[in-house]
Amino acid sequence: MTQEYTAGQREQREVAAAPPRAPGRDRYLDLLRSLALVRVVLYHLFGWAWLTVLFPSMGVMFALAGSLMARSLNRPALSVIRGRVRRLLPPLWAFSAVVLPLMFVGGWRLSEDPDHSGTWGLLELVNYVVPIGAPPYPWEVGFPKDLLESTWADQAVGPLWYLRAYLWFVLASPLLLWAFRRVPWATLLAPLALTAVVGTGVVTIPGELGNAVTDFAVYGSCWVLGFAHHEGVLAKVPRYLAVSGSVLVMSFALWWASGHLGPEGWDLNDIPLAQAAWSFGFVVILLQYSPSWQELPGRLARWDKLVTLSNNRAVTIYLWHNLLIMATVPIIDLAYRLPFMQSDRAVAALDSTDTLWMFFLVWPLIGVAILAFGWIEDLAAKRRPRVWPNGVKRGNGKARVAVGHEV
């Protein structure tokens, strides 16, 4: 007698019959993190709003970090939090040790800054040491020999909001995971509901506290999705149901965005509810189809070393990439002095392709930052410092995956 099953029943049986995942690195998740980092660099370089729709990097990064956090919380929560904070802070201190003196040398006087003066302004500097809030910086400030434009501090320090949000999630994770294991769906969807309140103007929280709460709400469901992925809850949902539900949520995100376009049009970073819903649906689909690779398959294998390197140096890449994008400008300016660049036609050609040259130049500069500062991530993780940790073992030249717990 032949038994017939619905699509949902068949998928549930396949999930139940699937062999347990082998221990070790999940190269699919490593690949997603690398793609997210590349997309972040491209967005800050070209400013294309559609990149936030094509690949919501922040949502993906928070989901992957949430999955790692859930795995780590099998150990005592206090030691896990201490370890995560320890891995985060030294790379931030190195960044702050470079950027803060440059701002002061450029003419920033904290006591004369109307936005950050007084005792509170001094207290805000603590965020360059422990990113609980937003670090202060001037909107315009000089740079030695005027190599960078006056808004360089805003562009360099602005991305530090991610470290603040990450730290908040780390501190809240023991409570969030406790709640998720008891009421998973309520915990998963609560940040979306919160975003509908604080991200749409229904309730307005002023200042940087409002920004921090909004960021926590927008990406909270993605962080909890990482829990769901690690705990196996997401795998229990029939794929057809997860994907169809995600499509509906993402359709709502696009509909909402269409009626609330910001100054950059379809840039979801300016539309919190659309960002939250789109990132949530996108991440559900990515994790639902998660193949759990032990090695990158097929043609993807050629990128194995770069994927390993970017995962080992994720914090360094994120911290320095915006400042390095700006550093490409004075390098390109040197090209105008070359003898064969003195004609109007040559100048016009360089003017029309300068962003493309910035794209090609920023990657070697990121490589220099990895060489200069990346080893600090190893010290923070209590590992032996490595110059270029791309997974290649010295001596025999064979590649191996050796990736720490990344942010």
Side-chain angles (χ1 to χ4, degrees):
M1 182 176 179
T2 303
Q3 287 185 314
E4 295 182 357
Y5 305 105
T6 64
Q9 290 173 325
R10 187 179 300 110
E11 288 189 359
Q12 286 178 330
R13 284 174 175 266
E14 289 174 355
V15 168
R21 294 185 178 185
R25 297 297 309 182
D26 188 329
R27 298 300 278 167
Y28 174 72
L29 300 186
D30 289 345
L31 177 63
L32 290 182
R33 186 177 292 103
S34 297
L35 291 175
L37 286 169
V38 170
R39 206 286 283 157
V40 167
V41 175
L42 292 178
Y43 173 77
H44 287 149
L45 175 60
F46 294 103
W48 293 329
W50 54 267
L51 284 172
T52 64
V53 179
L54 178 67
F55 195 87
S57 284
M58 293 295 100
V60 172
M61 290 172 69
F62 281 121
L64 300 181
S67 180
L68 285 172
M69 190 68 185
R71 184 178 71 178
S72 297
L73 282 173
N74 292 325
R75 306 194 305 273
L78 186 60
S79 66
V80 173
I81 292 175
R82 186 168 55 245
R84 282 289 187 273
V85 172
R86 188 190 66 240
R87 292 170 185 269
L88 178 68
L89 295 186
L92 172 64
W93 296 341
F95 178 82
S96 301
V98 173
V99 171
L100 264 178
L102 284 175
M103 288 191 289
F104 291 132
V105 169
W108 185 38
R109 300 292 179 265
L110 189 62
S111 60
E112 300 174 4
D113 190 324
D115 297 322
H116 305 288
S117 60
T119 303
W120 185 250
L122 289 174
L123 291 176
E124 286 181 315
L125 287 176
V126 174
N127 291 303
Y128 281 102
V129 181
V130 182
I132 294 294
Y137 57 86
W139 289 104
E140 292 188 328
V141 68
F143 194 88
K145 298 184 179 181
D146 294 326
L147 291 177
L148 301 184
E149 62 182 60
S150 61
T151 61
W152 71 267
D154 176 39
Q155 298 182 57
V157 179
L160 294 188
W161 72 267
Y162 172 77
L163 273 67
R164 174 189 64 194
Y166 174 83
L167 183 57
W168 279 39
F169 282 126
V170 166
L171 296 176
S173 281
L175 179 60
L176 286 175
L177 187 57
W178 175 87
F180 176 77
R181 286 171 173 171
R182 283 153 181 80
V183 282
W185 295 109
T187 307
L188 182 61
L189 299 177
L192 288 175
L194 180 60
T195 305
V197 175
V198 300
T200 61
V202 174
V203 173
T204 302
I205 303 175
E208 284 302 327
L209 177 61
N211 293 335
V213 171
T214 300
D215 292 337
F216 189 90
V218 167
Y219 298 107
S221 287
C222 290
W223 186 274
V224 179
L225 274 174
F227 294 173
H229 176 259
H230 175 265
E231 299 281 295
V233 173
L234 196 58
K236 295 178 182 178
V237 180
R239 182 172 292 173
Y240 79 94
L241 185 59
V243 172
S244 58
S246 296
V247 170
L248 288 176
V249 172
M250 295 167 73
S251 298
F252 166 78
L254 295 180
W255 171 79
W256 181 265
S258 68
H260 300 80
L261 298 180
E264 302 300 327
W266 283 87
D267 192 327
L268 298 186
N269 291 318
D270 299 327
I271 317 170
L273 184 56
Q275 177 73 284
W278 182 263
S279 298
F280 178 83
F282 199 97
V283 169
V284 167
I285 293 174
L286 287 179
L287 296 182
Q288 183 66 236
Y289 281 89
S290 177
S292 188
W293 295 324
Q294 297 303 302
E295 296 180 355
L296 293 177
R299 295 182 179 179
L300 290 175
R302 71 182 66 177
W303 302 100
D304 183 82
K305 295 177 184 178
L306 288 178
V307 169
T308 301
L309 177 66
S310 62
N311 276 264
N312 273 313
R313 295 294 180 253
V315 182
T316 300
I317 294 171
Y318 185 83
L319 279 172
W320 292 95
H321 77 275
N322 235 24
L323 187 60
L324 297 176
I325 287 173
M326 290 180 287
T328 63
V329 175
I331 296 175
I332 294 174
D333 287 344
L334 295 176
Y336 288 97
R337 304 179 185 179
L338 297 174
F340 57 84
M341 289 296 300
Q342 302 310 306
S343 67
D344 292 341
R345 185 175 180 179
V347 170
L350 185 55
D351 287 342
S352 62
T353 58
D354 60 346
T355 306
L356 189 60
W357 287 110
M358 291 171 68
F359 170 78
F360 287 115
L361 285 171
V362 73
W363 303 110
L365 290 181
I366 288 175
V368 171
I370 289 173
L371 292 173
F373 303 103
W375 55 271
I376 298 173
E377 291 194 54
D378 291 327
L379 291 182
K382 294 186 176 180
R383 290 193 300 260
R384 178 179 58 83
R386 297 166 295 174
V387 176
W388 195 256
N390 63 351
V392 176
K393 191 173 183 179
R394 291 184 179 180
N396 56 16
K398 294 182 179 179
R400 61 182 178 88
V401 179
V403 188
H405 297 294
E406 310 83 352
V407 169

Short mmCIF file of all heavy atoms in Angstrom, two decimals, residues 197-219:
data_model
loop_
_atom_site.label_atom_id
_atom_site.label_comp_id
_atom_site.label_asym_id
_atom_site.label_seq_id
_atom_site.Cartn_x
_atom_site.Cartn_y
_atom_site.Cartn_z
N VAL A 197 6.50 50.37 16.70
CA VAL A 197 6.17 51.44 17.64
C VAL A 197 7.22 52.55 17.62
O VAL A 197 6.91 53.73 17.45
CB VAL A 197 6.03 50.87 19.07
CG1 VAL A 197 5.81 52.01 20.08
CG2 VAL A 197 4.88 49.88 19.14
N VAL A 198 8.50 52.17 17.78
CA VAL A 198 9.55 53.19 17.90
C VAL A 198 10.16 53.57 16.55
O VAL A 198 10.86 54.58 16.46
CB VAL A 198 10.67 52.71 18.85
CG1 VAL A 198 10.12 52.44 20.23
CG2 VAL A 198 11.38 51.48 18.30
N GLY A 199 9.92 52.76 15.52
CA GLY A 199 10.53 53.04 14.22
C GLY A 199 9.60 53.72 13.24
O GLY A 199 9.99 53.97 12.09
N THR A 200 8.40 54.03 13.67
CA THR A 200 7.43 54.66 12.77
C THR A 200 6.92 55.99 13.29
O THR A 200 6.08 56.62 12.65
CB THR A 200 6.22 53.73 12.55
OG1 THR A 200 5.58 53.49 13.82
CG2 THR A 200 6.66 52.41 11.94
N GLY A 201 7.41 56.41 14.45
CA GLY A 201 6.99 57.69 15.01
C GLY A 201 5.80 57.60 15.94
O GLY A 201 5.37 58.63 16.48
N VAL A 202 5.25 56.40 16.14
CA VAL A 202 4.15 56.26 17.10
C VAL A 202 4.62 56.68 18.48
O VAL A 202 3.93 57.39 19.21
CB VAL A 202 3.64 54.80 17.12
CG1 VAL A 202 2.59 54.61 18.21
CG2 VAL A 202 3.06 54.43 15.76
N VAL A 203 5.82 56.22 18.86
CA VAL A 203 6.47 56.66 20.09
C VAL A 203 7.86 57.15 19.71
O VAL A 203 8.59 56.45 19.00
CB VAL A 203 6.57 55.52 21.12
CG1 VAL A 203 7.40 55.96 22.32
CG2 VAL A 203 5.18 55.08 21.58
N THR A 204 8.22 58.32 20.16
CA THR A 204 9.52 58.90 19.81
C THR A 204 10.39 59.00 21.05
O THR A 204 9.99 59.58 22.06
CB THR A 204 9.35 60.30 19.20
OG1 THR A 204 8.53 60.21 18.03
CG2 THR A 204 10.71 60.88 18.82
N ILE A 205 11.56 58.38 20.98
CA ILE A 205 12.56 58.47 22.05
C ILE A 205 13.67 59.37 21.54
O ILE A 205 14.35 59.04 20.56
CB ILE A 205 13.10 57.08 22.42
CG1 ILE A 205 11.96 56.15 22.82
CG2 ILE A 205 14.11 57.20 23.56
CD1 ILE A 205 12.41 54.72 23.08
N PRO A 206 13.88 60.52 22.15
CA PRO A 206 14.85 61.48 21.60
C PRO A 206 16.29 61.04 21.80
O PRO A 206 16.61 60.20 22.65
CB PRO A 206 14.53 62.75 22.39
CG PRO A 206 13.97 62.25 23.70
CD PRO A 206 13.21 61.01 23.36
N GLY A 207 17.16 61.65 21.03
CA GLY A 207 18.59 61.51 21.21
C GLY A 207 19.14 60.15 20.83
O GLY A 207 18.49 59.34 20.16
N GLU A 208 20.36 59.90 21.30
CA GLU A 208 21.04 58.66 20.96
C GLU A 208 20.40 57.45 21.62
O GLU A 208 20.51 56.34 21.11
CB GLU A 208 22.51 58.76 21.38
CG GLU A 208 23.36 59.60 20.45
CD GLU A 208 23.35 59.09 19.01
OE1 GLU A 208 23.25 57.86 18.81
OE2 GLU A 208 23.43 59.92 18.10
N LEU A 209 19.71 57.66 22.75
CA LEU A 209 18.99 56.55 23.35
C LEU A 209 17.93 56.03 22.39
O LEU A 209 17.75 54.82 22.23
CB LEU A 209 18.34 56.97 24.67
CG LEU A 209 17.49 55.90 25.37
CD1 LEU A 209 18.33 54.68 25.71
CD2 LEU A 209 16.83 56.47 26.62
N GLY A 210 17.24 56.96 21.73
CA GLY A 210 16.25 56.56 20.74
C GLY A 210 16.86 55.80 19.59
O GLY A 210 16.29 54.81 19.11
N ASN A 211 18.03 56.26 19.12
CA ASN A 211 18.71 55.55 18.04
C ASN A 211 19.10 54.14 18.46
O ASN A 211 18.98 53.18 17.69
CB ASN A 211 19.96 56.33 17.61
CG ASN A 211 19.62 57.65 16.94
OD1 ASN A 211 18.54 57.81 16.38
ND2 ASN A 211 20.53 58.59 17.01
N ALA A 212 19.60 54.01 19.70
CA ALA A 212 20.04 52.70 20.19
C ALA A 212 18.85 51.75 20.32
O ALA A 212 18.94 50.58 19.95
CB ALA A 212 20.75 52.86 21.53
N VAL A 213 17.74 52.25 20.87
CA VAL A 213 16.55 51.41 21.02
C VAL A 213 16.02 51.00 19.65
O VAL A 213 15.61 49.84 19.45
CB VAL A 213 15.47 52.15 21.83
CG1 VAL A 213 14.15 51.37 21.81
CG2 VAL A 213 15.93 52.35 23.27
N THR A 214 16.02 51.92 18.70
CA THR A 214 15.53 51.60 17.36
C THR A 214 16.41 50.54 16.70
O THR A 214 15.91 49.59 16.09
CB THR A 214 15.50 52.87 16.49
OG1 THR A 214 14.61 53.83 17.09
CG2 THR A 214 15.00 52.54 15.09
N ASP A 215 17.73 50.69 16.81
CA ASP A 215 18.63 49.68 16.24
C ASP A 215 18.39 48.32 16.88
O ASP A 215 18.38 47.29 16.20
CB ASP A 215 20.09 50.10 16.45
CG ASP A 215 20.48 51.33 15.65
OD1 ASP A 215 19.81 51.60 14.63
OD2 ASP A 215 21.43 52.03 16.06
N PHE A 216 18.21 48.31 18.20
CA PHE A 216 17.96 47.05 18.91
C PHE A 216 16.67 46.41 18.42
O PHE A 216 16.60 45.19 18.24
CB PHE A 216 17.88 47.32 20.42
CG PHE A 216 17.85 46.09 21.26
CD1 PHE A 216 19.03 45.51 21.71
CD2 PHE A 216 16.65 45.49 21.62
CE1 PHE A 216 19.01 44.35 22.50
CE2 PHE A 216 16.62 44.35 22.40
CZ PHE A 216 17.80 43.78 22.84
N ALA A 217 15.64 47.23 18.20
CA ALA A 217 14.37 46.70 17.73
C ALA A 217 14.46 46.21 16.29
O ALA A 217 13.97 45.12 15.95
CB ALA A 217 13.29 47.78 17.85
N VAL A 218 15.09 47.00 15.42
CA VAL A 218 15.15 46.67 13.99
C VAL A 218 15.84 45.33 13.77
O VAL A 218 15.38 44.51 12.95
CB VAL A 218 15.85 47.80 13.21
CG1 VAL A 218 16.20 47.34 11.80
CG2 VAL A 218 14.98 49.04 13.17
N TYR A 219 16.93 45.09 14.47
CA TYR A 219 17.72 43.89 14.22
C TYR A 219 17.54 42.81 15.29
O TYR A 219 18.18 41.76 15.21
CB TYR A 219 19.20 44.26 14.09
CG TYR A 219 19.45 45.19 12.93
CD1 TYR A 219 19.74 46.54 13.15
CD2 TYR A 219 19.35 44.74 11.62
CE1 TYR A 219 19.94 47.40 12.08
CE2 TYR A 219 19.56 45.59 10.55
CZ TYR A 219 19.85 46.92 10.78
OH TYR A 219 20.04 47.77 9.73
#
